[in-house]
Amino acid sequence: MSEDFPDTTDCPQCGEEGAYFNGFQYECPECGYEWTEDDDDTEEEDSDDDDEDSDDDL
């Protein structure tokens, strides 16, 4: 039965195992959290860009 969802991972929200990729995004069956692979990268890049923009405005 584990072959039904071969792309399982740990949920970044609750930490439970078994979050799966539904073809568009990851979903956690325990807490209902949904995310994409790009979510983490985008947040880090945006925060870095904001810091640089703040310095330029001064």
Side-chain angles (χ1 to χ4, degrees), residues 7-54:
D7 292 331
T8 59
T9 187
D10 295 343
C11 175
Q13 184 74 24
C14 70
E16 291 294 321
E17 296 178 9
Y20 60 91
F21 189 71
N22 68 7
F24 175 70
Q25 63 188 6
Y26 285 92
E27 293 184 24
C28 177
E30 295 297 319
C31 71
Y33 184 66
E34 300 175 339
W35 73 100
T36 63
E37 290 180 352
D38 295 334
D39 285 348
D40 291 333
D41 295 338
T42 302
E43 290 176 14
E44 290 177 12
E45 289 176 7
D46 287 346
S47 65
D48 290 343
D49 290 342
D50 290 342
D51 291 340
E52 291 175 13
D53 291 341
S54 303

